[in-house]
């Protein structure tokens, strides 16, 4: 290609086009056709009729439902509050009841209601739906936590470009300290949005902030470390890790039982799921499962610290060589810097050296600005 400017533009178009493809595949693959896959439900009753009814529901639904029987309504409520089942059906000839916990997943509650409403209709009686764990009135669908996840993610991964590209001249120790500070600010903004602004969290706001900090710090340290190795491709990598795979597997819109196996598997250990499920545990389910989700976020932070440590080791000899080169150049410049030597050096040579230095600085600044614009523009 003859035009360097055109080649430069086309090269930089690769990233947004790959983002377009990746976002389409991830979001449409995860959200467009939600279907139950082994959705766990319970039928309340210990009599043989209840077991026959449960088996009939299972045979009719096939792989869409995993049906179990429980002895009492109280046991079914306990399973809902521990999120072991998505719904529980209490058979009755006069007043059948469906128990759900919409704070765990509004979409999941809707899915089980669609399953059991026709069952009650066959008996000619209306189905009573009881929600044993409702979200707060300020977040009626329970999806506010998903949008909190988005805000924290964008604040974290967009800051990576500033710390990695614009801060490339800084030592890794300084960049790591900045990442620590930025994660505190991002999580503070998240806590402010979740509490005083939109009232998603009516209690335990400090715990919400703590999990938001673990989440943000993990992303920032991973990004700052990866930038040493990937440079301008860090943006695309961060988008894949913390948007395409992260938002879709978080359980913020659809529980894993309503998605295909790929996203359902990621939900078990990805950091976005750790944040969303951890905050749900804290706010709605009496801390059930909270420790596991905090550990998930902690492991991602440890991974980020490990990547940052490897990047620091990788950069150390390069920075040492760079410093030695500057020292040698300074010594060589200072030694002959007598009036006679300066006069002897041609003016054109001095001007060329100055232009080369200015060009290198401009190229570095332009590369940093382009990388930041790519990230923030998304």
């Amino acid at each position: 290609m003859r035009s360097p400017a055109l080649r430069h533009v086309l090269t930089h178009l690769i990233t947004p086009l790959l983002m377009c493809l990746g976002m389409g595949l991830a979001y449409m693959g995860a959200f467009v056709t939600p279907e139950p896959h082994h959705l766990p439900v319970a039928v309340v009753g210990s009599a043989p009729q209840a077991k026959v009814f449960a088996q009939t529901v299972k045979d009719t639904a096939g792989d869409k439902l995993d049906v179990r029987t429980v002895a009492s309504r109280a046991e079914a409520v306990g399973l809902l509050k521990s999120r072991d089942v998505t719904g529980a059906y209490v058979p009755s000839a006069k007043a059948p009841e469906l128990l759900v916990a919409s704070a765990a997943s509004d979409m999941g509650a809707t899915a089980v209601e669609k399953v059991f409403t026709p069952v009650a209709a066959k008996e000619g009686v209306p189905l009573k739906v009881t929600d044993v764990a409702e979200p707060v009135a300020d977040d009626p669908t329970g999806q506010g936590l998903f949008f909190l996840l988005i805000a924290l993610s964008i604040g974290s991964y967009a800051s990576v470009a500033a710390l990695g590209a614009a801060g490339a001249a800084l030592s890794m120790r300084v960049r790591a300290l900045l990442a620590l500070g930025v994660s505190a600010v991002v999580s503070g903004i998240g806590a402010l949005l979740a509490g005083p602004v939109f009232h998603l969290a009516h209690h335990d706001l400090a715990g919400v902030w703590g999990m938001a900090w673990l989440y943000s710090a993990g992303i920032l340290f991973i990004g700052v470390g990866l930038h040493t190795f990937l440079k301008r491709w860090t943006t695309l990598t961060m988008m894949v890790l913390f948007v395409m795979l992260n938002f879709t597997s978080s359980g913020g819109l659809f529980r894993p039982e309503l998605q295909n196996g790929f996203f359902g598997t990621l939900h078990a250990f990805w950091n976005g799921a750790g944040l969303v499920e951890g905050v749900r545990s804290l706010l709605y389910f009496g801390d059930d499962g909270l420790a596991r989700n905090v550990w998930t976020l902690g492991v991602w932070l440890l991974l980020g610290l490990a990547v940052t440590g490897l990047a620091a080791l990788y950069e150390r000899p390069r920075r040492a060589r760079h410093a030695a080169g500057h020292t040698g150049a300074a010594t060589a410049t200072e030694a002959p810097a007598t009036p006679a030597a300066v006069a002897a050096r041609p003016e054109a040579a001095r001007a060329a050296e100055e232009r080369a230095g200015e060009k290198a600085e401009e190229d570095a600044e332009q590369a940093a600005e382009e990388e930041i614009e790519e990230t923030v523009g998304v």
Side-chain angles (χ1 to χ4, degrees):
M1 192 175 294
R2 295 182 179 180
S3 172
L6 180 58
R7 183 169 61 249
H8 181 75
V9 170
L10 293 177
T11 300
H12 280 77
L13 281 173
I14 294 174
T15 297
L17 291 176
L18 288 175
M19 286 179 182
C20 174
L21 176 63
M23 291 289 283
L25 290 173
Y27 272 67
M28 297 176 78
F31 296 145
V32 168
T33 54
E35 290 283 345
H37 297 279
H38 298 284
L39 187 70
V41 298
V43 173
V44 178
S46 55
Q49 294 89 334
K51 296 183 182 296
V52 171
F53 174 77
Q55 187 61 50
T56 302
V57 172
K58 171 62 179 174
D59 292 342
T60 303
D63 291 337
K64 292 183 177 181
L65 299 180
D66 280 344
V67 186
R68 69 173 79 178
T69 57
V70 296
S72 67
R73 186 180 185 279
E75 185 178 349
V77 171
L79 290 173
L80 282 165
K81 290 190 174 181
S82 63
R83 288 170 288 177
D84 289 324
V85 298
T86 307
Y89 184 74
V90 185
S92 172
K94 295 181 179 179
E97 182 183 19
L98 177 65
L99 306 175
V100 297
S102 61
S105 172
D106 184 64
M107 296 294 185
T110 301
V112 293
E113 189 172 346
K114 287 182 178 180
V115 169
F116 287 103
T117 297
V119 174
K122 288 181 180 179
E123 302 296 327
V125 291
L127 178 65
K128 177 186 176 183
V129 179
T130 302
D131 198 338
V132 301
E134 293 182 277
V136 295
D138 297 290
D139 183 22
T141 65
Q143 295 175 3
L145 299 181
F146 176 70
F147 299 110
L148 175 64
L149 169 73
I150 292 175
L152 292 170
S153 302
I154 291 175
S156 301
Y157 83 74
S159 298
V160 167
L163 295 174
L170 302 173
S171 68
M172 182 57 76
R173 178 177 298 179
V174 173
R175 278 177 279 164
L177 290 173
L178 287 172
L180 198 64
V182 170
S183 64
V185 174
V186 169
S187 57
I189 293 172
L192 185 67
L193 294 173
V197 178
F198 293 106
H199 310 290
L200 306 179
H202 286 202
H203 58 88
D204 289 306
L205 189 58
V208 174
W209 173 82
M211 282 185 279
W213 177 80
L214 283 172
Y215 175 76
S216 177
I219 292 176
L220 279 157
F221 279 109
I222 288 173
V224 168
L226 286 179
H227 189 273
T228 296
F229 306 102
L230 302 180
K231 302 303 181 186
R232 65 177 294 265
W233 296 108
T234 308
T235 296
L236 181 60
T237 303
M238 297 296 285
M239 285 286 293
V240 171
L241 291 176
F242 302 115
V243 176
M244 297 175 194
L245 299 180
N246 192 26
F247 294 173
T248 50
S249 65
S250 67
L253 293 182
F254 299 115
R255 293 278 299 168
E257 296 86 3
L258 295 177
Q259 298 181 295
N260 62 47
F262 175 73
F263 295 105
T265 301
L266 292 183
H267 181 84
F269 60 89
W270 217 255
N271 62 340
L275 177 68
V276 171
E277 299 296 354
V279 175
R280 278 177 177 158
S281 298
L282 185 67
L283 298 181
Y284 298 118
F285 296 99
D287 297 350
D288 181 79
L290 178 61
R292 180 184 180 282
N293 291 302
V294 170
W295 270 108
T296 297
L297 295 172
V299 168
W300 278 85
L301 175 56
L302 291 175
L303 176 63
L305 292 172
V307 174
T308 301
L310 288 174
L313 293 175
Y314 178 79
E315 288 184 0
R316 185 176 297 171
R318 298 177 62 194
R319 287 186 175 275
R321 289 194 300 269
H322 185 70
H326 272 289
T327 303
T331 304
T333 303
E334 290 169 3
T338 61
V342 171
R345 188 166 58 178
E347 184 67 27
R350 292 200 301 273
E353 290 176 3
E354 292 176 0
R355 286 196 300 271
E358 292 173 357
K359 182 66 166 58
E361 290 180 2
E362 289 175 0
D363 289 345
E365 290 177 0
Q366 182 180 0
E369 289 175 0
E370 287 173 350
E371 184 174 346
I372 293 171
E373 286 171 0
E374 282 180 356
T375 303
V376 178
V378 174

